Amino acid sequence: MAGALYADVVVRQGARVVGTFSYAVPPNLRSAIAPGQLVWVPFRRTRLTAIVVALSEQAPDFETRDILEIADPAPVLTPTQIALGRWMSEHYLCSLAEALFAMLPPGLLGRTRTRVVLTESGRSRPLEGLPPLAQRTIEELRRSGGEMDLVVLSRALRKKRLSRTLSHLEREGWLKLAPFVEEPAARPHREPFLVLSASPAEVAALRESIGRRNPPAARVLSALARSPGGIREKKTLCQEVRADSQVLSALEEEGLVRSLEEKELLRLVASEEEVAVFLEKEARRFPRGCALLRRLRETEGVLDLGAEPVPAEVCRALERRGLVRRERRPAQVRLSVLPEVALARAAALRRTRADERLLALLERLEQAEGQALPLSTLGRKEAAALLEAGVARTEERERLRDPLAGREFPPESPPPLTEGQGRVWREIYEAFSRGGMHTFLLHGVTGSGKTEIYLRALGRALREGRQAIVLVPEISLTPQTVQRFAARFPGRVAVLHSGLSVGERYDQWRRVRAGQVDVVIGPRSALFAPLPRLGLIVVDEEHDDSYKQDDPPPRYHARETALALARITGSIVILGSATPSIESYSRARRGQYRLLELPERIRVRRDSAGRPLVLIQTSLPRVEVVDMREELRAGHTSIFSRSLQRAIQETLSAGEQAILFLNRRGTATFVMCRDCGHVVRCPHCEVPFVYHADLGRLICHRCGRRAPSPAFCPACQSVRIRHFGAGTERVEAEVLRLFPAARVLRWDRDIAARDLYGRGMPRPYGVLEAFARREADILVGTQMVAKGLDLPGVSLVGVVSADTVLHLPDFRSAERTFQLVTQVIGRAGRREERGRAIIQTYHPDHYAIQSAARQDYAAFFRWEMAFRTRYGYPPLLELARLVYSHRREEQAREEAGRVARLLAGRVSAVPGARLVGPAPAFVRRRQGYYRWQVLLLAPEVQPLLQGLVLPEDWSVDVDPVSLLS
């Protein structure tokens, strides 16, 4: 058909991604439809929201249905995001729909639900002849009025799968299934606003009328302000304004008035000529009279007889000659301030506290954007008063939910750069000048000033009219990053992360889409912020495993995806780390990235006003490696070596702070019977339970299942069942036992998961903030304390055990150990003073421990690359992990073997490629499912996996960061 238009759309039904489909665009929508838009499409017996990914005039070779309508005229995805989604689909072997839906904020699309409705005959027909489950279904529907949500019905019947039963009942005319789409959980938040509706003149009149009280003090000040010279006779004033002496005393104490007591005065009444004649004639005969006249001329013609006693006969003699006159002046009150000040104070005295609140609200309304404020944030009485006065009205408006609202970020001026920072910055600056994509690996030791380089790069990008994304590995690093960046770029920063509420994430996403912010900060999902003018991507702590998405798909790595996004947009990428990943450092050595290094530690000294004065070079911490085997030989069995105990005591005595690091949560890592060796395991995952003393429970760290701690062995009934190993809870308890006066905080994922909330910052920041404010002496934590924290009060770091991941069956175990130990000891001594670190280990000679102790990345890289080269691991080859899950282990093993045989034929044709497995996964059973895996190593894994059709229970992970799940 001439002029026909077709759209490829991606569809999701509920939480399940369906895939990509083609629909015809009806004539009435052709001029309005565009890629990236949200549309409604018919799908089976319902209608779903879908995203348009492409438009074409080429008709597909099958019959198509029409798109129903456009759900949102503004695209929810940009062309850049669609291009990035296509790259993710090809690289990570996921569907395009999975990649694109991962970019949308949660709650944007309504879930598809099904309503089960009894027909008229279904309400009354006898149930004889129906299967038992069908009978129960009809009975439950009848009890509920003939209509139920499918989820509620399934829960009531305690059956997860009802589709076969419901389909049968629908065919037999008992009921109807009515699919419907829920309202999206994320939508604009609207609420009543108080809007100023009066003219400035009307507002001024209202302001003048506020305050009808007229207390005596206000009356006194008003009368004096309007009197000539600001002075009045005290008695007359008090009678006129009905005030007493206490009122005047209070005003005098406030410094507003001054009381003048009653006085007897001598006043000169003769002219200057008459005085001169008298002085010339009577100088010899009446010297005392002449002296008094001269004194009167000095005092401007008035003399206080109470202050300066004068002989009475002299006064009478001068009075008789008509030269002076004695008079009595009554008590007076005089203003001590300007009349306008007195009037303002009088107006304030006339107002009650309620009047003051009303005036404050009026002022806020005048200064607010749009002269409107949310009614929920205002006092009810004050708002009602403005409404009654007719100067304001209520109006429903949208209110953006901003997690940074109300937070103040004092502007921060940039510090001077060191020579090393200057060299690094010049290279990045020149890359901006050249334009196009450039990738930098910024390898800087902890505390070397990498963040200042990020800030300068952001400033340059913003000056060019471009925008930026700053990725941090976890929400835990967001507050410090936001503080630094928002202080440098006020009003231009947004945060995006899973700690926000659905509404906050939706509003932040809309602000970004509308171009109202220029910098987006957050963990890996912040990479999908729809910035239209992207020019810079910063990946801080680029080595961190949390940049990898495991489940659900797409299983992408934010670092690699950031590089793909930069290629699409022509952006600059800065990958920063004190311990770069082996992959990134290897690429930099091969010239794929530009390697920039900051080997010196620095700290900015600021003056009392917060201005940077000078950059001070500081030393890396002194590191001591303690061989725990020697401790055991000496009979010392504590989890803290003698050296670490002494160091903690010295730190506490000096009033300084310490961090104790152990990459293991809980009190004990497993529970074992000493008689038969039985280890208590999770029945769903078959991994050992971890004992948590604060809960008094066993917890599976894989699926979250909880169980009571047994009093006797489940296998042999022995009472000799004990807790073995140590976790952060045990370390915390041991610290309190050895140092009862110490103030101790613990920070691990149990604390974080317990305290998340949706105001932009999770509550664990309270732990960090309290520690930074010196409200605690010792912080006990897992790997979360090793990540990018700036805690200048810490002078000691103790690594309780450096061996927790060193010998796990994963080729990255040594790298992970080196990174964790190096990062955590870098928290010590981030001030002018040199810090101290103690590493406890049973393998002090291992190259990962030795290199971390010397902070020698180059040496570690040489050792690690030799190991990877010997066994052909990444980065020499790419890696893909294929995992199959099934409730029957035999089925899992057979299916893994079948796929391995399929791949073996492909692998044999590619030089250097190889298969490992099939074999049970490290976590052999999870949540009741047995798991078998196949590992594929090849120069490129995607061509070997393209076209491989796998059943639904398979998962494919390209570039996995861990083989231990």
Side-chain angles (χ1 to χ4, degrees):
M1 182 175 64
L5 188 62
Y6 299 89
D8 289 339
V9 304
V10 290
V11 178
R12 185 171 69 179
Q13 187 171 20
R16 187 169 66 92
V17 174
V18 180
T20 306
F21 298 87
S22 294
Y23 285 84
V25 181
N28 62 314
L29 300 181
R30 287 175 194 166
S31 61
I33 200 164
Q37 278 181 321
L38 210 58
V39 295
W40 287 101
V41 297
F43 192 82
R44 294 175 185 159
R45 293 184 299 171
T46 186
R47 54 185 249 156
L48 299 176
T49 48
I51 303 171
V52 178
V53 295
L55 295 171
S56 172
E57 295 180 358
Q58 181 73 34
D61 55 1
F62 50 84
E63 187 177 348
T64 58
R65 302 168 75 181
D66 282 356
I67 289 175
L68 299 175
E69 60 180 306
I70 295 173
D72 187 346
V76 295
L77 292 176
T78 65
T80 295
Q81 289 178 299
I82 295 173
L84 180 64
R86 294 190 188 280
W87 177 87
M88 291 172 65
S89 174
E90 294 170 4
H91 186 81
Y92 292 109
L93 303 172
C94 61
S95 70
L96 178 60
E98 287 171 330
L100 294 181
F101 279 112
M103 299 180 185
L104 299 181
L108 182 67
L109 306 179
R111 293 187 301 168
T112 302
R113 304 284 290 272
T114 301
R115 191 175 290 111
V116 186
V117 184
L118 283 178
T119 61
E120 287 301 320
S121 62
R123 293 175 182 270
S124 55
R125 285 167 63 182
L127 302 180
E128 287 80 4
L130 285 178
L133 180 58
Q135 288 189 27
R136 288 173 52 209
T137 301
I138 299 299
E139 288 170 352
E140 188 66 37
L141 285 166
R142 286 174 177 177
R143 274 196 299 270
S144 302
E147 184 176 321
M148 289 183 77
D149 185 281
L150 177 57
V151 175
V152 178
L153 177 62
S154 299
R155 195 178 297 127
L157 297 174
R158 297 183 179 180
K159 289 286 183 181
K160 289 185 177 180
R161 299 182 184 275
L162 282 174
S163 56
R164 184 176 299 177
T165 299
L166 293 176
S167 297
H168 171 73
L169 290 172
E170 188 177 31
R171 285 194 304 271
E172 296 295 321
W174 288 87
L175 53 79
K176 288 184 179 180
L177 300 176
F180 69 99
V181 179
E182 285 184 327
E183 282 290 315
R187 51 183 179 269
H189 174 67
R190 299 185 68 84
E191 63 176 83
F193 271 67
L194 187 70
V195 183
L196 194 63
S197 57
S199 67
E202 291 171 322
V203 171
L206 175 63
R207 188 179 283 107
E208 286 294 323
S209 68
I210 291 175
R212 298 176 180 175
R213 293 171 65 251
N214 196 14
R219 296 196 295 268
V220 168
L221 290 172
S222 296
L224 287 173
R226 293 183 175 90
S227 300
I231 189 168
R232 290 287 300 275
E233 185 181 328
K234 187 175 186 178
K235 182 177 180 181
T236 306
L237 176 65
C238 289
Q239 289 174 348
E240 182 182 310
V241 301
R242 299 186 305 282
D244 55 25
S245 58
Q246 290 182 346
V247 173
L248 297 178
S249 298
L251 290 174
E252 194 163 7
E253 286 180 12
E254 201 174 336
L256 297 170
V257 303
R258 186 160 59 91
S259 294
L260 304 175
E261 299 300 326
E262 180 181 357
K263 292 181 179 181
E264 185 179 10
L265 303 176
L266 183 66
R267 186 178 297 279
L268 182 64
V269 296
S271 66
E272 183 62 32
E273 186 178 347
E274 290 174 324
V275 171
V277 170
F278 180 85
L279 291 174
E280 186 179 346
K281 288 184 177 180
E282 303 294 336
R284 290 187 178 181
R285 286 188 296 176
F286 197 9
R288 288 192 298 172
C290 291
L292 182 57
L293 288 175
R294 293 191 190 97
R295 177 64 181 144
L296 279 168
R297 284 200 299 189
E298 292 173 0
T299 58
E300 298 182 353
V302 179
L303 199 63
D304 183 358
L305 294 177
E308 295 189 35
V310 177
E313 62 274 16
V314 175
C315 288
R316 285 195 294 272
L318 293 177
E319 276 186 292
R320 285 196 300 270
R321 297 191 181 192
L323 297 172
V324 298
R325 181 177 70 244
R326 277 188 293 188
E327 56 186 44
R328 187 169 296 278
R329 190 194 70 187
Q332 293 179 323
V333 181
R334 183 195 297 271
L335 271 182
S336 300
V337 294
L338 294 172
E340 50 267 31
V341 176
L343 289 172
R345 178 62 180 140
L349 288 168
R350 291 190 185 100
R351 301 185 199 115
T352 62
R353 290 184 179 178
D355 294 331
E356 294 291 346
R357 289 195 294 269
L358 187 59
L359 284 170
L361 173 56
L362 198 57
E363 186 175 351
R364 280 182 62 196
L365 267 176
E366 289 180 297
Q367 295 175 354
E369 183 180 352
Q371 296 192 319
L373 293 168
L375 204 56
S376 60
T377 65
L378 309 178
R380 291 182 181 178
K381 291 182 179 179
E382 291 76 29
L386 292 184
L387 291 169
E388 186 179 347
V391 298
R393 69 176 189 275
T394 57
E395 181 181 296
E396 191 174 82
R397 292 187 178 186
E398 182 184 343
R399 183 185 181 193
L400 283 174
R401 292 152 290 196
D402 184 359
L404 301 181
R407 297 195 66 198
E408 293 185 5
F409 301 99
E412 182 184 275
S413 53
L417 298 179
T418 63
E419 184 179 347
Q421 284 179 311
R423 284 195 301 270
V424 166
W425 172 234
R426 277 193 295 275
E427 292 216 32
I428 297 174
Y429 184 90
E430 289 169 3
F432 275 104
S433 302
R434 291 193 298 270
M437 181 200 176
H438 300 272
T439 303
F440 296 95
L441 176 61
L442 180 55
H443 176 207
V445 298
T446 52
S448 60
K450 294 186 291 292
T451 302
E452 182 57 35
I453 299 298
Y454 304 157
L455 287 164
R456 302 261 175 153
L458 252 74
R460 177 64 193 270
L462 267 54
R463 284 193 298 274
E464 291 186 355
R466 305 291 292 273
Q467 297 167 308
I469 295 173
V470 180
L471 297 184
V472 291
E474 291 194 7
I475 306 172
S476 58
L477 298 183
T478 304
Q480 287 193 350
T481 308
V482 168
Q483 177 71 40
R484 292 284 305 273
F485 284 73
R488 193 72 66 88
F489 310 107
R492 305 178 76 173
V493 175
V495 293
L496 282 175
H497 58 68
S498 59
L500 305 180
S501 68
V502 169
E504 285 174 324
R505 289 183 76 174
Y506 176 63
D507 284 354
Q508 291 288 286
W509 174 79
R510 284 198 302 145
R511 288 180 65 212
V512 174
R513 183 177 67 165
Q516 296 175 1
V517 294
D518 295 314
V519 181
V520 174
I521 299 174
R524 59 177 180 262
S525 60
L527 188 65
F528 303 133
L531 292 169
R533 305 184 310 278
L534 186 64
L536 173 68
I537 304 174
V538 173
V539 185
D540 192 26
E541 307 293 344
E542 64 86 29
H543 66 277
D544 200 277
D545 290 352
S546 62
Y547 282 126
K548 185 70 163 71
Q549 165 80 11
D550 291 325
D551 282 308
R555 296 176 178 88
Y556 69 95
H557 198 299
R559 180 187 62 224
E560 305 305 317
T561 309
L563 294 168
L565 179 59
R567 285 191 292 271
I568 295 168
T569 58
S571 299
I572 286 177
V573 180
I574 303 177
L575 309 174
S577 177
T579 55
S581 64
I582 295 295
E583 287 82 357
S584 293
Y585 199 78
S586 176
R587 290 173 188 171
R589 292 280 295 268
R590 295 197 303 267
Q592 293 176 252
Y593 303 161
R594 180 73 178 95
L595 180 62
L596 305 174
E597 298 195 274
L598 291 173
E600 298 172 346
R601 212 176 197 197
I602 58 173
R603 181 167 177 79
V604 181
R605 177 180 289 167
R606 295 180 180 271
D607 62 15
S608 58
R611 292 185 297 267
L613 295 178
V614 67
L615 284 162
I616 302 168
Q617 182 176 328
T618 58
S619 301
L620 290 167
R622 299 186 302 275
V623 181
E624 177 186 351
V625 178
V626 176
D627 188 344
M628 296 301 284
R629 297 170 301 182
E630 295 297 328
E631 293 289 305
L632 286 177
R633 293 189 190 104
H636 187 77
T637 58
S638 170
I639 58 175
F640 298 143
S641 64
R642 291 165 294 179
S643 179
L644 182 54
Q645 286 188 29
R646 284 194 302 271
I648 294 172
Q649 184 60 64
E650 291 167 2
T651 301
L652 294 174
S653 300
E656 295 174 339
Q657 292 178 296
I659 289 177
L660 298 178
F661 167 76
L662 178 66
N663 197 31
R664 187 183 287 146
R665 294 177 284 155
T667 304
T669 52
F670 61 97
V671 179
M672 185 179 75
C673 175
R674 286 193 170 188
D675 286 339
C676 71
H678 175 77
V679 175
V680 183
R681 297 176 181 271
C682 172
H684 290 281
C685 302
E686 294 190 358
V687 296
F689 273 120
V690 176
Y691 177 64
H692 287 251
D694 60 345
L695 300 174
R697 309 279 286 178
L698 301 176
I699 297 179
C700 173
H701 284 180
R702 296 290 179 184
C703 69
R705 184 182 179 88
R706 299 186 179 200
S709 182
F712 54 85
C713 175
C716 71
Q717 308 303 306
S718 169
V719 296
R720 286 166 51 82
I721 190 161
R722 297 288 185 270
H723 302 144
F724 288 85
T728 48
E729 291 178 34
R730 166 91 183 277
V731 172
E732 180 185 24
E734 186 70 3
V735 170
L736 291 171
R737 186 185 71 82
L738 293 172
F739 308 101
R743 300 169 299 168
V744 183
L745 288 172
R746 177 165 58 91
W747 196 34
D748 53 29
R749 293 201 183 282
D750 294 325
I751 297 294
R754 206 175 297 163
D755 291 328
L756 281 176
Y757 74 111
R759 288 296 307 157
M761 312 289 166
R763 279 205 182 100
Y765 304 143
V767 174
L768 278 185
E769 289 168 0
F771 192 64
R773 290 194 301 266
R774 310 294 291 271
E775 294 175 13
D777 306 308
I778 298 174
L779 178 64
V780 177
T782 57
Q783 60 182 346
M784 299 177 76
V785 302
K787 297 183 179 183
L789 304 175
D790 187 7
L791 300 168
V794 174
S795 62
L796 170 69
V797 166
V799 179
V800 178
S801 175
D803 308 323
T804 52
V805 297
L806 186 58
H807 297 293
L808 291 174
D810 190 321
F811 70 92
R812 287 193 174 94
S813 294
E815 178 183 12
R816 209 164 278 124
T817 297
F818 171 79
Q819 289 169 341
L820 281 172
V821 174
T822 303
Q823 291 278 345
V824 75
I825 66 178
R827 305 304 123 202
R830 300 185 70 148
R831 305 176 300 176
E832 290 85 343
E833 299 86 359
R834 191 177 186 187
R836 182 181 180 188
I838 295 176
I839 303 172
Q840 299 185 160
T841 176
Y842 287 92
H843 303 88
D845 297 326
H846 194 283
Y847 66 88
I849 303 293
Q850 287 293 319
S851 301
R854 297 193 302 270
Q855 302 274 286
D856 189 347
Y857 181 86
F860 169 76
F861 180 79
R862 289 193 297 272
W863 279 97
E864 186 65 11
M865 281 301 293
F867 162 72
R868 305 268 182 110
T869 302
R870 187 180 311 124
Y871 296 104
Y873 286 126
L876 298 157
L877 295 174
E878 290 184 356
L879 173 65
R881 183 183 184 222
L882 293 81
V883 179
Y884 182 73
S885 303
H886 199 274
R887 288 198 177 274
R888 291 177 52 245
E889 184 169 24
E890 184 65 21
Q891 171 66 25
R893 182 174 61 80
E894 289 178 1
E895 174 64 13
R898 182 187 72 83
V899 171
R901 288 190 294 274
L902 283 176
L903 286 172
R906 300 184 180 196
V907 166
S908 62
V910 178
R914 73 180 191 275
L915 284 177
V916 178
F922 179 75
V923 180
R924 177 169 156 267
R925 192 175 180 216
R926 176 185 287 174
Q927 295 182 321
Y929 284 83
Y930 291 94
R931 307 165 70 249
W932 277 64
Q933 70 181 19
V934 177
L935 302 181
L936 171 63
L937 293 111
E940 285 186 273
V941 296
Q942 287 83 4
L944 291 172
L945 294 172
Q946 288 291 349
L948 183 67
V949 179
L950 297 174
E952 191 174 296
D953 292 328
W954 277 96
S955 68
V956 179
D957 190 358
V958 176
D959 304 330
V961 297
S962 174
L963 303 179
L964 303 178
S965 60

